[in-house]
Amino acid sequence: MLLERIYDTDLAQASYFIGCQAKGEAIVVDPRRDLDVYLEIAAKNGMTITAVTETHIHADYLSGTRELAARTGAEILVSDEGGPDWTYGSAFDGAVRMKDGHIITLGNITLKAVHTPGHTPEHFSFLVTDGAQADAPGFMLSGDFVFVGDLGRPDLLDEAAGGVDTRFGGAKDIFASLRDRFLTLPDYVQVLPAHGAGSACGKALGAIPTTTVGYERAFAWWSHYVENNDEQGFIDELLNGQPDAHAYFGRMKVQNRQGPNVMGTVTPLREYTTEEVATALDADSAILIDTRNNAEVHRGTVPRSLNVPGPEKAASYGAWVYNPDTETRPVILLADDLVHAEELRDHLVRVGIDTVSGFVTTLDGLTLVVPELVDPATLEDVDRVLLLDVRNKTEFAEGHIPGAEQLSGGRVMWALDQLPREGTIVTYCQSGVRNSVAASALRRAGYDVAELDGSYLGWLATPGAVPAV
């Protein structure tokens, strides 16, 4: 058996390639939309991708299941559990709709779909048996059910998908899934989750890529609750302190349930001249994404451009500031060269931003502005209508600048009705990166924004700074 983990550090997301070397067949679980990595693994190992599936309807990225099936002819398999509200849409009419216990066979390998609701009602985990070596499962692809040291959060349907108090039923379901599904497995079963540290799909995910049933049974924060059948204690701790959910998660849920558009062969990116960029920006017919870090942006950037540093976090931050549901203008990237631009585009399509038309390699010759910065030492002297903390609510609770209000960067552009239209808004995050992203989007939306230089860490370094908690 060939089993490879493909990890996207941008979205802290893992997909899996499982292949039978004897038969030359493979399945991909939870693929992203830029497919080259899966096709390269298949080609390298002389395999054909014959099936593609996913553990659940994802919220944090746009699924590549339909994209990969269209490219390879692979059969699609999706969950048919969870009830009518969580049934995959008509774009999946040709897919195999799996019930609990469904078996996927690839030569000597079997994947058994196990219904493990809680994070979402339709959620599946997959028990993998390598028939050439064993007659029982040795691996569990746990999706967003069990992470290393944590569990999938059950509140995303409330936070991002318009649910009302679904978190409590979801937490009960996770408790039951742990008791009746996960902890009935042998301790040696290796657990391969769909996310790692940095994902917003849990509150304390570990950075180690895998765990085992036995390790989680012995050391996970939740294990003693299940052992003692303390459901209420489990629910209370699971729901307490969950981080903000990014607002774009709601869009991902809807699109992934309906079926993401298939991109097919992408149009080659063109290199723009600065004159062409200037013309497009003057006509407001394109959007420039400045992909430099915030320090460079603060020395001068194009008016109304969006700051999305990348490619490392381009998907994460791009989804904060560009909403394809309301914005269709093409995107022009500031990039070093074509390779850099293509890498940036690959990240952006993972969150459904499919409108990148090309790139420009320099800002020389374009009109630039210097974003307004506020010295932390003079913050109290600044005439402002709002001091806005764009960090996560859990960071805010641990300490913030007195008088600040919190609205996480991933929610700002979906909560503009909470912000004053007149007067200066001073914004900050922890170090300045997230702040620059959010501030650029607010300026583009017409708000008067000044960024706190050095953000919260810069303010903490000023004499006499005493955080509020």
Side-chain angles (χ1 to χ4, degrees):
M1 180 176 76
L2 174 70
L3 193 161
E4 290 207 24
R5 173 181 182 259
I6 299 94
Y7 194 68
D8 172 18
T9 56
D10 187 339
L11 297 166
Q13 182 263 335
S15 50
Y16 294 90
F17 183 106
I18 300 174
C20 174
Q21 288 138 324
K23 197 168 183 181
E25 295 181 349
I27 186 171
V28 178
V29 182
D30 290 333
R32 64 195 195 212
R33 291 175 87 214
D34 53 308
L35 305 177
D36 285 352
V37 62
Y38 312 112
L39 303 177
E40 289 167 2
I41 293 172
K44 177 182 177 182
N45 292 279
M47 292 182 174
T48 300
I49 299 172
T50 58
V52 56
T53 189
E54 53 195 52
T55 51
H56 65 293
I57 300 171
H58 296 281
D60 56 314
Y61 72 101
L62 203 56
S63 166
T65 292
R66 295 187 70 235
E67 197 75 40
L68 187 57
R71 181 78 66 90
T72 64
E75 181 178 59
I76 296 176
L77 303 99
V78 293
S79 174
D80 196 29
E81 296 284 1
D85 290 341
W86 295 99
T87 300
Y88 281 80
S90 59
F92 294 93
D93 281 353
V96 174
R97 295 179 182 258
M98 299 180 290
K99 294 292 188 181
D100 179 56
H102 185 93
I103 301 294
I104 304 169
T105 302
L106 300 164
N108 293 320
I109 301 166
T110 60
L111 283 77
K112 180 180 180 180
V114 179
H115 188 212
T116 50
H119 175 68
T120 61
E122 81 292 347
H123 192 285
F124 270 131
S125 300
F126 292 99
L127 292 175
V128 182
T129 301
D130 180 4
Q133 300 290 332
D135 57 4
F139 307 88
M140 173 187 248
L141 304 186
S142 60
D144 287 23
F145 168 35
V146 176
F147 298 127
V148 179
D150 202 7
L151 299 169
R153 57 191 296 182
D155 63 320
L156 279 184
L157 304 187
D158 290 348
E159 292 293 316
V164 178
D165 291 338
T166 64
R167 65 190 69 203
F168 302 108
K172 286 177 176 286
D173 285 343
I174 289 181
F175 187 86
S177 294
L178 289 168
R179 180 192 62 212
D180 302 335
R181 299 292 197 170
F182 188 78
L183 292 179
T184 59
L185 296 171
D187 283 352
Y188 61 74
V189 172
Q190 295 185 51
V191 179
L192 312 177
H195 294 289
S199 169
C201 291
K203 62 180 175 180
L205 281 67
I208 298 171
T210 67
T211 184
T212 64
V213 171
Y215 190 88
E216 298 303 309
R217 188 196 311 272
F219 301 113
W221 66 262
W222 50 263
S223 60
H224 71 278
Y225 290 112
V226 181
E227 181 181 358
N228 297 325
N229 201 32
D230 182 3
E231 183 183 66
Q232 191 57 52
F234 170 86
I235 292 172
D236 292 344
E237 184 161 349
L238 177 62
L239 295 180
N240 181 52
Q242 289 288 357
D244 293 311
H246 304 311
Y248 81 88
F249 281 12
R251 174 171 63 87
M252 296 291 95
K253 274 288 184 186
V254 171
Q255 289 183 273
N256 281 329
R257 183 185 173 196
Q258 293 174 343
N261 292 332
V262 174
M263 297 183 295
T265 303
V266 295
T267 303
L269 296 179
R270 60 168 293 199
E271 182 175 354
Y272 288 87
T273 65
T274 51
E275 291 79 8
E276 291 172 323
V277 172
T279 299
L281 296 180
D282 287 344
D284 200 22
S285 61
I287 297 173
L288 179 71
I289 290 185
D290 190 332
T291 60
R292 298 173 300 163
N293 64 54
N294 57 305
E296 293 176 290
V297 168
H298 288 165
R299 289 194 287 269
T301 188
V302 172
R304 303 187 73 239
S305 62
L306 297 172
N307 180 210
V308 180
E312 292 81 6
K313 300 295 288 184
S316 301
Y317 295 140
W320 287 14
V321 300
Y322 186 100
N323 182 2
D325 283 347
T326 58
E327 180 59 75
T328 59
R329 276 169 287 194
V331 168
I332 300 172
L333 303 169
L334 176 62
D336 297 335
D337 50 32
L338 176 60
V339 172
H340 184 210
E342 288 176 337
E343 186 177 8
L344 288 160
R345 178 178 62 181
D346 283 349
H347 281 248
L348 292 172
V349 299
R350 295 172 196 171
V351 289
I353 301 174
D354 299 346
T355 50
V356 177
S357 62
F359 66 101
V360 64
T361 61
T362 181
L363 300 182
D364 291 346
L366 294 172
T367 299
L368 302 182
V369 293
V370 176
E372 183 179 355
L373 301 180
V374 171
D375 186 333
T378 64
L379 175 61
E380 292 309 309
D381 300 325
V382 174
D383 183 15
R384 64 178 191 260
V385 293
L386 176 64
L387 178 60
L388 183 63
D389 187 325
V390 300
R391 297 177 301 164
N392 196 287
K393 62 185 178 184
T394 54
E395 295 174 281
F396 183 81
E398 293 171 356
H400 56 270
I401 300 175
E405 296 182 24
Q406 186 271 337
L407 181 60
S408 68
R411 302 183 73 87
V412 163
M413 298 309 295
W414 282 259
L416 296 180
D417 59 337
Q418 300 178 30
L419 304 178
R421 292 296 311 191
E422 303 295 331
T424 300
I425 301 173
V426 177
T427 61
Y428 72 90
C429 65
Q430 189 75 359
S431 65
V433 177
R434 290 172 288 174
N435 191 35
S436 182
V437 174
S440 72
L442 286 172
R443 290 191 186 100
R444 179 174 177 81
Y447 290 82
D448 179 12
V449 178
E451 299 170 55
L452 185 63
D453 197 12
S455 273
Y456 185 63
L457 294 179
W459 176 82
L460 278 180
T462 60
V466 179
V469 292

